[in-house]
Amino acid sequence: DPAVTVTLPRTAHYLGADRFVLTDPKMGPFDDCELHAFVEGDHGTVRKLYWVQFEAYLPTVPNIHHTYDSPRHAKLGGLDFYVDSWVSSGNAPPEPGSDTEHLNAVLKAHGYSRGDMMTVRLVHLPDAAKRTELMVIYSEALPPGLSANSLKKGGAAYARWPALEKGLIERATRAVKIEPLQK
């Protein structure tokens, strides 16, 4: 949910899927996730990452809803997506049990690792209940000579981030095609 076809560039290599339930120490199990990972890379290093994930809150937690608040939006296949972006260090450990930890396990199982990357997350909430989502994350390795720390606020190359971010979002929305399935 939602019923869509996701099409990625032919150069993206499918690594596989992982189905898991996210768990919070206070709340317990709360979110059913289905993750699909695709990469473009060289010798085990990810150059581009396409992470497609479907999520649905479990019936055991009826009072939680997604609360994305990004003011930026994009249309893919006529569907509205929240848009946010960031840079991250490839050696930063993921939160234990997180979906990022699951993604990293899929990458590692296929011999891939990530360096510093810039990322755009596109999230579609298919109905007013906001209990399911389609999330597409597109990441690229940073251009040579740049690091995640240099592009973060206060970093030496932070002034370059707006132009890099704009290009990243444009490439992501061109590369990822979403088509709702006909009912």
mmCIF file of all heavy atoms in Angstrom, residues 127-172:
data_model
loop_
_atom_site.group_PDB
_atom_site.id
_atom_site.type_symbol
_atom_site.label_atom_id
_atom_site.label_comp_id
_atom_site.label_asym_id
_atom_site.label_seq_id
_atom_site.Cartn_x
_atom_site.Cartn_y
_atom_site.Cartn_z
ATOM 1 N N ASP A 127 -3.173 7.990 2.413
ATOM 2 C CA ASP A 127 -4.525 8.333 2.857
ATOM 3 C C ASP A 127 -4.476 9.234 4.087
ATOM 4 O O ASP A 127 -3.419 9.463 4.672
ATOM 5 C CB ASP A 127 -5.361 7.074 3.125
ATOM 6 C CG ASP A 127 -4.747 6.169 4.171
ATOM 7 O OD1 ASP A 127 -4.192 6.681 5.177
ATOM 8 O OD2 ASP A 127 -4.812 4.942 4.008
ATOM 9 N N ALA A 128 -5.622 9.717 4.472
ATOM 10 C CA ALA A 128 -5.719 10.676 5.580
ATOM 11 C C ALA A 128 -5.333 10.076 6.926
ATOM 12 O O ALA A 128 -4.929 10.805 7.838
ATOM 13 C CB ALA A 128 -7.136 11.241 5.655
ATOM 14 N N ALA A 129 -5.417 8.752 7.070
ATOM 15 C CA ALA A 129 -5.055 8.116 8.339
ATOM 16 C C ALA A 129 -3.555 8.213 8.618
ATOM 17 O O ALA A 129 -3.133 8.147 9.765
ATOM 18 C CB ALA A 129 -5.497 6.658 8.347
ATOM 19 N N LYS A 130 -2.748 8.357 7.588
ATOM 20 C CA LYS A 130 -1.284 8.500 7.702
ATOM 21 C C LYS A 130 -0.660 7.357 8.503
ATOM 22 O O LYS A 130 0.238 7.549 9.302
ATOM 23 C CB LYS A 130 -0.911 9.857 8.311
ATOM 24 C CG LYS A 130 -1.352 11.022 7.453
ATOM 25 C CD LYS A 130 -0.907 12.336 8.028
ATOM 26 C CE LYS A 130 -1.325 13.464 7.106
ATOM 27 N NZ LYS A 130 -0.854 14.746 7.555
ATOM 28 N N ARG A 131 -1.134 6.132 8.242
ATOM 29 C CA ARG A 131 -0.592 4.961 8.931
ATOM 30 C C ARG A 131 0.215 4.071 7.996
ATOM 31 O O ARG A 131 0.822 3.102 8.431
ATOM 32 C CB ARG A 131 -1.713 4.177 9.604
ATOM 33 C CG ARG A 131 -2.299 4.965 10.795
ATOM 34 C CD ARG A 131 -3.296 4.194 11.589
ATOM 35 N NE ARG A 131 -2.903 2.857 11.949
ATOM 36 C CZ ARG A 131 -2.112 2.500 12.977
ATOM 37 N NH1 ARG A 131 -1.610 3.435 13.765
ATOM 38 N NH2 ARG A 131 -1.847 1.235 13.219
ATOM 39 N N THR A 132 0.213 4.372 6.703
ATOM 40 C CA THR A 132 1.052 3.650 5.744
ATOM 41 C C THR A 132 1.854 4.668 4.961
ATOM 42 O O THR A 132 1.472 5.848 4.870
ATOM 43 C CB THR A 132 0.204 2.795 4.770
ATOM 44 O OG1 THR A 132 -0.642 3.664 4.024
ATOM 45 C CG2 THR A 132 -0.617 1.752 5.505
ATOM 46 N N GLU A 133 2.965 4.202 4.404
ATOM 47 C CA GLU A 133 3.773 5.106 3.589
ATOM 48 C C GLU A 133 4.555 4.338 2.545
ATOM 49 O O GLU A 133 4.851 3.153 2.710
ATOM 50 C CB GLU A 133 4.736 5.928 4.444
ATOM 51 C CG GLU A 133 5.939 5.171 4.961
ATOM 52 C CD GLU A 133 6.949 6.063 5.690
ATOM 53 O OE1 GLU A 133 6.566 7.090 6.270
ATOM 54 O OE2 GLU A 133 8.125 5.706 5.675
ATOM 55 N N LEU A 134 4.855 5.045 1.475
ATOM 56 C CA LEU A 134 5.821 4.613 0.478
ATOM 57 C C LEU A 134 6.987 5.573 0.602
ATOM 58 O O LEU A 134 6.805 6.794 0.484
ATOM 59 C CB LEU A 134 5.226 4.670 -0.925
ATOM 60 C CG LEU A 134 6.219 4.584 -2.086
ATOM 61 C CD1 LEU A 134 7.027 3.288 -2.049
ATOM 62 C CD2 LEU A 134 5.495 4.737 -3.418
ATOM 63 N N MET A 135 8.162 5.031 0.877
ATOM 64 C CA MET A 135 9.353 5.850 1.027
ATOM 65 C C MET A 135 10.361 5.437 -0.037
ATOM 66 O O MET A 135 10.634 4.248 -0.207
ATOM 67 C CB MET A 135 9.957 5.651 2.422
ATOM 68 C CG MET A 135 11.245 6.421 2.645
ATOM 69 S SD MET A 135 11.886 6.221 4.335
ATOM 70 C CE MET A 135 12.469 4.529 4.298
ATOM 71 N N VAL A 136 10.877 6.424 -0.755
ATOM 72 C CA VAL A 136 11.942 6.187 -1.721
ATOM 73 C C VAL A 136 13.109 7.066 -1.304
ATOM 74 O O VAL A 136 12.968 8.289 -1.190
ATOM 75 C CB VAL A 136 11.510 6.527 -3.158
ATOM 76 C CG1 VAL A 136 12.663 6.315 -4.127
ATOM 77 C CG2 VAL A 136 10.289 5.708 -3.565
ATOM 78 N N ILE A 137 14.234 6.424 -1.063
ATOM 79 C CA ILE A 137 15.446 7.166 -0.705
ATOM 80 C C ILE A 137 16.453 6.983 -1.831
ATOM 81 O O ILE A 137 16.732 5.860 -2.260
ATOM 82 C CB ILE A 137 16.019 6.682 0.635
ATOM 83 C CG1 ILE A 137 15.056 7.048 1.760
ATOM 84 C CG2 ILE A 137 17.409 7.267 0.874
ATOM 85 C CD1 ILE A 137 15.501 6.634 3.146
ATOM 86 N N TYR A 138 16.963 8.106 -2.311
ATOM 87 C CA TYR A 138 17.963 8.109 -3.371
ATOM 88 C C TYR A 138 19.209 8.776 -2.800
ATOM 89 O O TYR A 138 19.140 9.885 -2.261
ATOM 90 C CB TYR A 138 17.441 8.892 -4.576
ATOM 91 C CG TYR A 138 18.462 9.139 -5.652
ATOM 92 C CD1 TYR A 138 18.800 8.140 -6.552
ATOM 93 C CD2 TYR A 138 19.093 10.367 -5.767
ATOM 94 C CE1 TYR A 138 19.739 8.367 -7.554
ATOM 95 C CE2 TYR A 138 20.033 10.614 -6.758
ATOM 96 C CZ TYR A 138 20.350 9.602 -7.652
ATOM 97 O OH TYR A 138 21.282 9.823 -8.629
ATOM 98 N N SER A 139 20.343 8.085 -2.906
ATOM 99 C CA SER A 139 21.609 8.631 -2.395
ATOM 100 C C SER A 139 22.676 8.556 -3.465
ATOM 101 O O SER A 139 22.674 7.639 -4.296
ATOM 102 C CB SER A 139 22.093 7.831 -1.178
ATOM 103 O OG SER A 139 21.170 7.865 -0.127
ATOM 104 N N GLU A 140 23.589 9.500 -3.419
ATOM 105 C CA GLU A 140 24.750 9.516 -4.306
ATOM 106 C C GLU A 140 26.011 9.737 -3.480
ATOM 107 O O GLU A 140 25.983 10.476 -2.486
ATOM 108 C CB GLU A 140 24.669 10.676 -5.309
ATOM 109 C CG GLU A 140 23.564 10.596 -6.297
ATOM 110 C CD GLU A 140 23.538 11.808 -7.238
ATOM 111 O OE1 GLU A 140 24.360 12.747 -7.062
ATOM 112 O OE2 GLU A 140 22.689 11.815 -8.133
ATOM 113 N N ALA A 141 27.100 9.126 -3.936
ATOM 114 C CA ALA A 141 28.401 9.421 -3.337
ATOM 115 C C ALA A 141 28.696 10.901 -3.555
ATOM 116 O O ALA A 141 28.308 11.487 -4.578
ATOM 117 C CB ALA A 141 29.487 8.565 -3.979
ATOM 118 N N LEU A 142 29.355 11.509 -2.590
ATOM 119 C CA LEU A 142 29.699 12.929 -2.711
ATOM 120 C C LEU A 142 30.742 13.140 -3.803
ATOM 121 O O LEU A 142 31.559 12.249 -4.067
ATOM 122 C CB LEU A 142 30.239 13.456 -1.389
ATOM 123 C CG LEU A 142 29.240 13.535 -0.247
ATOM 124 C CD1 LEU A 142 29.915 14.037 1.025
ATOM 125 C CD2 LEU A 142 28.077 14.441 -0.609
ATOM 126 N N PRO A 143 30.720 14.317 -4.427
ATOM 127 C CA PRO A 143 31.757 14.625 -5.415
ATOM 128 C C PRO A 143 33.149 14.565 -4.768
ATOM 129 O O PRO A 143 33.285 14.822 -3.558
ATOM 130 C CB PRO A 143 31.423 16.054 -5.853
ATOM 131 C CG PRO A 143 29.976 16.236 -5.530
ATOM 132 C CD PRO A 143 29.738 15.391 -4.298
ATOM 133 N N PRO A 144 34.174 14.240 -5.552
ATOM 134 C CA PRO A 144 35.545 14.182 -5.010
ATOM 135 C C PRO A 144 35.918 15.476 -4.294
ATOM 136 O O PRO A 144 35.567 16.570 -4.725
ATOM 137 C CB PRO A 144 36.416 13.972 -6.254
ATOM 138 C CG PRO A 144 35.491 13.337 -7.251
ATOM 139 C CD PRO A 144 34.128 13.918 -6.979
ATOM 140 N N GLY A 145 36.611 15.324 -3.182
ATOM 141 C CA GLY A 145 37.090 16.467 -2.415
ATOM 142 C C GLY A 145 36.108 16.983 -1.381
ATOM 143 O O GLY A 145 36.443 17.884 -0.614
ATOM 144 N N LEU A 146 34.900 16.431 -1.355
ATOM 145 C CA LEU A 146 33.916 16.874 -0.373
ATOM 146 C C LEU A 146 33.644 15.757 0.622
ATOM 147 O O LEU A 146 33.708 14.578 0.288
ATOM 148 C CB LEU A 146 32.599 17.264 -1.059
ATOM 149 C CG LEU A 146 32.646 18.494 -1.938
ATOM 150 C CD1 LEU A 146 31.317 18.713 -2.633
ATOM 151 C CD2 LEU A 146 33.020 19.731 -1.122
ATOM 152 N N SER A 147 33.335 16.152 1.844
ATOM 153 C CA SER A 147 32.963 15.193 2.875
ATOM 154 C C SER A 147 31.619 15.597 3.446
ATOM 155 O O SER A 147 31.174 16.739 3.287
ATOM 156 C CB SER A 147 34.011 15.183 3.999
ATOM 157 O OG SER A 147 33.954 16.403 4.717
ATOM 158 N N ALA A 148 30.982 14.664 4.128
ATOM 159 C CA ALA A 148 29.708 14.973 4.768
ATOM 160 C C ALA A 148 29.887 16.127 5.754
ATOM 161 O O ALA A 148 29.079 17.068 5.779
ATOM 162 C CB ALA A 148 29.152 13.740 5.469
ATOM 163 N N ASN A 149 30.938 16.081 6.547
ATOM 164 C CA ASN A 149 31.164 17.145 7.539
ATOM 165 C C ASN A 149 31.372 18.503 6.886
ATOM 166 O O ASN A 149 30.926 19.520 7.418
ATOM 167 C CB ASN A 149 32.341 16.795 8.446
ATOM 168 C CG ASN A 149 31.971 15.731 9.452
ATOM 169 O OD1 ASN A 149 30.800 15.540 9.777
ATOM 170 N ND2 ASN A 149 32.961 15.012 9.940
ATOM 171 N N SER A 150 32.038 18.547 5.734
ATOM 172 C CA SER A 150 32.286 19.841 5.085
ATOM 173 C C SER A 150 31.002 20.456 4.535
ATOM 174 O O SER A 150 30.911 21.674 4.400
ATOM 175 C CB SER A 150 33.323 19.699 3.968
ATOM 176 O OG SER A 150 32.785 19.022 2.840
ATOM 177 N N LEU A 151 29.998 19.619 4.226
ATOM 178 C CA LEU A 151 28.748 20.129 3.655
ATOM 179 C C LEU A 151 27.681 20.432 4.697
ATOM 180 O O LEU A 151 26.665 21.042 4.379
ATOM 181 C CB LEU A 151 28.195 19.133 2.634
ATOM 182 C CG LEU A 151 28.991 19.043 1.337
ATOM 183 C CD1 LEU A 151 28.506 17.873 0.494
ATOM 184 C CD2 LEU A 151 28.907 20.350 0.552
ATOM 185 N N LYS A 152 27.896 20.005 5.930
ATOM 186 C CA LYS A 152 26.921 20.285 6.987
ATOM 187 C C LYS A 152 27.035 21.743 7.418
ATOM 188 O O LYS A 152 28.065 22.392 7.219
ATOM 189 C CB LYS A 152 27.137 19.351 8.175
ATOM 190 C CG LYS A 152 26.741 17.923 7.854
ATOM 191 C CD LYS A 152 26.926 17.012 9.032
ATOM 192 C CE LYS A 152 26.506 15.596 8.657
ATOM 193 N NZ LYS A 152 26.737 14.653 9.742
ATOM 194 N N LYS A 153 25.981 22.261 8.043
ATOM 195 C CA LYS A 153 25.976 23.646 8.504
ATOM 196 C C LYS A 153 27.219 23.915 9.345
ATOM 197 O O LYS A 153 27.525 23.171 10.262
ATOM 198 C CB LYS A 153 24.714 23.934 9.311
ATOM 199 C CG LYS A 153 24.488 25.389 9.572
ATOM 200 C CD LYS A 153 23.125 25.659 10.134
ATOM 201 C CE LYS A 153 22.919 27.147 10.205
ATOM 202 N NZ LYS A 153 21.544 27.480 10.519
ATOM 203 N N GLY A 154 27.927 24.971 8.990
ATOM 204 C CA GLY A 154 29.159 25.313 9.682
ATOM 205 C C GLY A 154 30.397 24.703 9.035
ATOM 206 O O GLY A 154 31.522 25.054 9.387
ATOM 207 N N GLY A 155 30.204 23.797 8.080
ATOM 208 C CA GLY A 155 31.326 23.151 7.404
ATOM 209 C C GLY A 155 31.944 24.052 6.346
ATOM 210 O O GLY A 155 31.311 24.997 5.858
ATOM 211 N N ALA A 156 33.187 23.730 5.963
ATOM 212 C CA ALA A 156 33.943 24.562 5.023
ATOM 213 C C ALA A 156 33.269 24.679 3.660
ATOM 214 O O ALA A 156 33.445 25.684 2.967
ATOM 215 C CB ALA A 156 35.357 24.001 4.860
ATOM 216 N N ALA A 157 32.490 23.683 3.230
ATOM 217 C CA ALA A 157 31.857 23.701 1.911
ATOM 218 C C ALA A 157 30.338 23.871 1.996
ATOM 219 O O ALA A 157 29.625 23.636 1.017
ATOM 220 C CB ALA A 157 32.201 22.424 1.156
ATOM 221 N N TYR A 158 29.857 24.295 3.157
ATOM 222 C CA TYR A 158 28.404 24.408 3.350
ATOM 223 C C TYR A 158 27.746 25.300 2.288
ATOM 224 O O TYR A 158 26.625 25.036 1.856
ATOM 225 C CB TYR A 158 28.082 24.927 4.751
ATOM 226 C CG TYR A 158 26.595 25.078 4.998
ATOM 227 C CD1 TYR A 158 25.772 23.957 5.056
ATOM 228 C CD2 TYR A 158 26.025 26.335 5.164
ATOM 229 C CE1 TYR A 158 24.400 24.087 5.274
ATOM 230 C CE2 TYR A 158 24.655 26.468 5.390
ATOM 231 C CZ TYR A 158 23.855 25.340 5.439
ATOM 232 O OH TYR A 158 22.507 25.470 5.645
ATOM 233 N N ALA A 159 28.417 26.326 1.822
ATOM 234 C CA ALA A 159 27.854 27.232 0.810
ATOM 235 C C ALA A 159 27.558 26.491 -0.495
ATOM 236 O O ALA A 159 26.713 26.935 -1.285
ATOM 237 C CB ALA A 159 28.798 28.401 0.549
ATOM 238 N N ARG A 160 28.197 25.354 -0.722
ATOM 239 C CA ARG A 160 27.954 24.578 -1.944
ATOM 240 C C ARG A 160 26.729 23.668 -1.828
ATOM 241 O O ARG A 160 26.229 23.167 -2.841
ATOM 242 C CB ARG A 160 29.191 23.729 -2.273
ATOM 243 C CG ARG A 160 30.394 24.578 -2.656
ATOM 244 C CD ARG A 160 31.585 23.761 -3.049
ATOM 245 N NE ARG A 160 31.280 22.890 -4.189
ATOM 246 C CZ ARG A 160 32.112 21.954 -4.622
ATOM 247 N NH1 ARG A 160 33.274 21.776 -4.026
ATOM 248 N NH2 ARG A 160 31.779 21.190 -5.647
ATOM 249 N N TRP A 161 26.252 23.428 -0.594
ATOM 250 C CA TRP A 161 25.168 22.475 -0.388
ATOM 251 C C TRP A 161 23.879 22.834 -1.134
ATOM 252 O O TRP A 161 23.271 21.950 -1.761
ATOM 253 C CB TRP A 161 24.906 22.250 1.094
ATOM 254 C CG TRP A 161 23.727 21.370 1.335
ATOM 255 C CD1 TRP A 161 22.597 21.691 2.023
ATOM 256 C CD2 TRP A 161 23.521 20.027 0.875
ATOM 257 N NE1 TRP A 161 21.708 20.629 2.025
ATOM 258 C CE2 TRP A 161 22.259 19.595 1.312
ATOM 259 C CE3 TRP A 161 24.287 19.150 0.108
ATOM 260 C CZ2 TRP A 161 21.743 18.338 1.031
ATOM 261 C CZ3 TRP A 161 23.770 17.884 -0.175
ATOM 262 C CH2 TRP A 161 22.517 17.499 0.280
ATOM 263 N N PRO A 162 23.397 24.075 -1.143
ATOM 264 C CA PRO A 162 22.134 24.353 -1.838
ATOM 265 C C PRO A 162 22.141 23.932 -3.313
ATOM 266 O O PRO A 162 21.171 23.348 -3.802
ATOM 267 C CB PRO A 162 21.950 25.864 -1.675
ATOM 268 C CG PRO A 162 22.668 26.167 -0.386
ATOM 269 C CD PRO A 162 23.880 25.254 -0.409
ATOM 270 N N ALA A 163 23.222 24.201 -4.030
ATOM 271 C CA ALA A 163 23.293 23.809 -5.452
ATOM 272 C C ALA A 163 23.387 22.293 -5.592
ATOM 273 O O ALA A 163 22.749 21.706 -6.473
ATOM 274 C CB ALA A 163 24.487 24.486 -6.129
ATOM 275 N N LEU A 164 24.176 21.652 -4.731
ATOM 276 C CA LEU A 164 24.277 20.196 -4.770
ATOM 277 C C LEU A 164 22.930 19.550 -4.456
ATOM 278 O O LEU A 164 22.505 18.589 -5.115
ATOM 279 C CB LEU A 164 25.342 19.701 -3.790
ATOM 280 C CG LEU A 164 26.791 19.992 -4.154
ATOM 281 C CD1 LEU A 164 27.704 19.712 -2.966
ATOM 282 C CD2 LEU A 164 27.208 19.165 -5.357
ATOM 283 N N GLU A 165 22.257 20.075 -3.450
ATOM 284 C CA GLU A 165 20.958 19.547 -3.044
ATOM 285 C C GLU A 165 19.938 19.688 -4.173
ATOM 286 O O GLU A 165 19.181 18.751 -4.467
ATOM 287 C CB GLU A 165 20.475 20.285 -1.799
ATOM 288 C CG GLU A 165 19.104 19.853 -1.327
ATOM 289 C CD GLU A 165 18.570 20.760 -0.238
ATOM 290 O OE1 GLU A 165 18.694 22.005 -0.366
ATOM 291 O OE2 GLU A 165 18.023 20.230 0.725
ATOM 292 N N LYS A 166 19.904 20.845 -4.820
ATOM 293 C CA LYS A 166 18.961 21.075 -5.917
ATOM 294 C C LYS A 166 19.180 20.048 -7.025
ATOM 295 O O LYS A 166 18.229 19.428 -7.522
ATOM 296 C CB LYS A 166 19.116 22.493 -6.456
ATOM 297 C CG LYS A 166 18.158 22.837 -7.575
ATOM 298 C CD LYS A 166 18.319 24.281 -8.016
ATOM 299 C CE LYS A 166 17.231 24.638 -8.997
ATOM 300 N NZ LYS A 166 17.665 24.883 -10.325
ATOM 301 N N GLY A 167 20.422 19.844 -7.424
ATOM 302 C CA GLY A 167 20.731 18.860 -8.463
ATOM 303 C C GLY A 167 20.379 17.445 -8.031
ATOM 304 O O GLY A 167 19.862 16.644 -8.825
ATOM 305 N N LEU A 168 20.638 17.127 -6.777
ATOM 306 C CA LEU A 168 20.322 15.799 -6.237
ATOM 307 C C LEU A 168 18.825 15.519 -6.322
ATOM 308 O O LEU A 168 18.404 14.448 -6.792
ATOM 309 C CB LEU A 168 20.798 15.710 -4.785
ATOM 310 C CG LEU A 168 20.433 14.435 -4.030
ATOM 311 C CD1 LEU A 168 21.279 13.264 -4.536
ATOM 312 C CD2 LEU A 168 20.637 14.640 -2.534
ATOM 313 N N ILE A 169 18.014 16.464 -5.899
ATOM 314 C CA ILE A 169 16.563 16.291 -5.930
ATOM 315 C C ILE A 169 16.077 16.142 -7.373
ATOM 316 O O ILE A 169 15.240 15.292 -7.678
ATOM 317 C CB ILE A 169 15.855 17.440 -5.192
ATOM 318 C CG1 ILE A 169 16.171 17.371 -3.695
ATOM 319 C CG2 ILE A 169 14.343 17.415 -5.435
ATOM 320 C CD1 ILE A 169 15.748 18.594 -2.896
ATOM 321 N N GLU A 170 16.627 16.951 -8.277
ATOM 322 C CA GLU A 170 16.242 16.844 -9.694
ATOM 323 C C GLU A 170 16.602 15.474 -10.261
ATOM 324 O O GLU A 170 15.792 14.857 -10.959
ATOM 325 C CB GLU A 170 16.916 17.952 -10.513
ATOM 326 C CG GLU A 170 16.344 19.324 -10.240
ATOM 327 C CD GLU A 170 17.145 20.452 -10.871
ATOM 328 O OE1 GLU A 170 18.210 20.198 -11.504
ATOM 329 O OE2 GLU A 170 16.714 21.618 -10.728
ATOM 330 N N ARG A 171 17.790 14.982 -9.960
ATOM 331 C CA ARG A 171 18.201 13.656 -10.468
ATOM 332 C C ARG A 171 17.325 12.549 -9.879
ATOM 333 O O ARG A 171 16.945 11.607 -10.570
ATOM 334 C CB ARG A 171 19.675 13.406 -10.187
ATOM 335 C CG ARG A 171 20.597 14.240 -11.078
ATOM 336 C CD ARG A 171 22.059 13.863 -10.918
ATOM 337 N NE ARG A 171 22.580 14.089 -9.578
ATOM 338 C CZ ARG A 171 22.967 15.272 -9.104
ATOM 339 N NH1 ARG A 171 22.880 16.373 -9.854
ATOM 340 N NH2 ARG A 171 23.450 15.388 -7.884
ATOM 341 N N ALA A 172 17.006 12.664 -8.600
ATOM 342 C CA ALA A 172 16.171 11.645 -7.947
ATOM 343 C C ALA A 172 14.785 11.591 -8.578
ATOM 344 O O ALA A 172 14.272 10.510 -8.887
ATOM 345 C CB ALA A 172 16.063 11.923 -6.450
#
